[in-house]
């Protein structure tokens, strides 16, 4: 028995040394494996998001009633309805939100030079000696439209380079489109047979895992599913509410670019905690190029709106639903953004909420069992 353990340790050490020696090849193989799985992983993500809509559509009275004529077709109808909802959202993005965002950045590019000139003239009237600040502002005071035109002319001057760049971009775009198409098809298959796949997964786990491990696994998956579903639904609802309130409030206060800034604030509010502040900062800068006093009024308005959102809307729509204190939400957003950018911000909060609920439940269980009877 001792000799067998010794041989196992030696084999393990040898495998570890080989893994360290050929780590580059192993990492390359892992990257290749995950690149091949990318369409399937994308399909799983699409299926999970669509399943939120599918489950809610299936819960409608005509589809959940076994006596209804459409009951045998409830899955096909619910998947079709979910796809129509997603298509409608994409159409709204293309027709409303994206043009508004493009106009917002265009306004910023056009309005920056005059605003900097007015600020420099105001500094001159104060008779202040701030050479470093003035030099920095003058370095920013570029003719952005002319600069963009020169960059476009420079890029188009080399036809061969532009052709190669276009081919490369089209190739990358084609690869992304193919991965997305495969992912959507895989997602539809997953949604169509999700009950059967669930039963197969349960059967495999019950067969090869101990009962205690299975119970823990089901609990973890149920907690994660609840946290992710509540977060995504709540965050999307909260973003719509804050965007509409911002637009209506700016209309009432007669502030410029109400639709643009309201759309921007609503779009950035999809990012938890920091998103609405980023949109508000860009909006304040846009208004500053027109009227500094109105920019100050906008900041006061957005501060009031943020208090309303933070104390009334967010706790009811998102905060209490995921059960995560604000300090951990901010920590999750900071770390997630540093690791994975925007996608990391979106995924970090529900992941942290899941871990928080699991740890809290485990601590409460252990403290309860450790108390003297």
């Amino acid at each position: 028995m001792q000799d067998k353990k010794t041989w196992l340790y030696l084999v393990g050490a040898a495998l570890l040394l080989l893994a360290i020696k050929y780590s580059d090849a192993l990492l390359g193989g892992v990257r290749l494996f995950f690149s091949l799985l990318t369409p399937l992983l994308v399909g799983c993500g699409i299926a999970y998001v669509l399943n939120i809509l599918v489950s809610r559509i299936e819960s409608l009275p005509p589809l959940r009633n076994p006596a209804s004529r459409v009951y045998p077709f409830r899955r096909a109808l619910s998947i079709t309805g979910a796809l129509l909802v997603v298509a409608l959202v994409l159409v709204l993005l293309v027709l409303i939100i994206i043009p508004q965002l493009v106009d917002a950045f265009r306004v910023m590019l056009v309005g920056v030079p005059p605003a900097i000139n007015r600020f420099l003239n105001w500094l001159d009237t104060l008779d202040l000696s701030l050479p470093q600040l003035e030099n920095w502002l003058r370095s920013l005071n570029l003719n952005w439209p002319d600069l963009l035109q020169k960059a476009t002319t420079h890029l188009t001057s080399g036809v061969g380079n532009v052709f190669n760049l276009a081919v490369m971009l089209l190739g990358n775009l084609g690869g992304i489109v193919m991965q997305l198409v495969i992912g959507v098809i895989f997602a539809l298959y997953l949604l169509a047979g999700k009950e059967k796949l669930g039963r197969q997964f349960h059967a495999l786990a019950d067969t090869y895992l101990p009962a205690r491990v299975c119970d823990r696994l089901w609990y973890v998956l149920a907690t994660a599913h609840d946290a992710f579903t509540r977060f995504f639904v709540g965050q999307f609802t909260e973003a719509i509410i804050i965007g509409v309130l911002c637009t209506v409030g700016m209309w009432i206060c007669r502030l410029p670019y109400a639709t643009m800034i309201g759309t921007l604030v609503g779009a950035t509010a999809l990012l938890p905690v920091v998103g609405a502040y980023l949109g508000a900062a860009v909006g304040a800068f846009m208004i500053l190029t027109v009227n500094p006093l109105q920019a100050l009024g906008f900041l006061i308005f957005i501060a009031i709106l943020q208090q309303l959102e933070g104390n009334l809307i967010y706790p009811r729509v998102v905060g209490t639903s995921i059960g995560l204190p604000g300090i951990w939400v901010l920590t999750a957003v900071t770390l997630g953004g540093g690791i994975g950018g925007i996608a990391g911000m979106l995924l970090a909060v529900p992941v942290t909420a899941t871990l928080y609920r699991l740890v809290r439940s485990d601590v409460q269980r252990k403290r309860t069992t450790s108390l003297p009877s």
Side-chain angles (χ1 to χ4, degrees), residues 244-261:
V244 171
L245 289 178
C246 182
T247 303
V248 173
M250 291 183 68
W251 280 342
I252 295 174
C253 297
R254 299 183 181 276
L255 296 173
Y257 309 127
T259 306
M260 288 185 191
I261 296 175

Side-chain angles (χ1 to χ4, degrees), residues 162-184:
V162 172
F163 179 76
N164 293 332
L165 180 62
V167 171
M168 183 182 67
L169 291 177
L170 288 176
N172 294 333
L173 181 61
I176 294 174
V177 171
M178 284 301 299
Q179 288 184 347
L180 185 60
V181 170
I182 295 173
V184 170

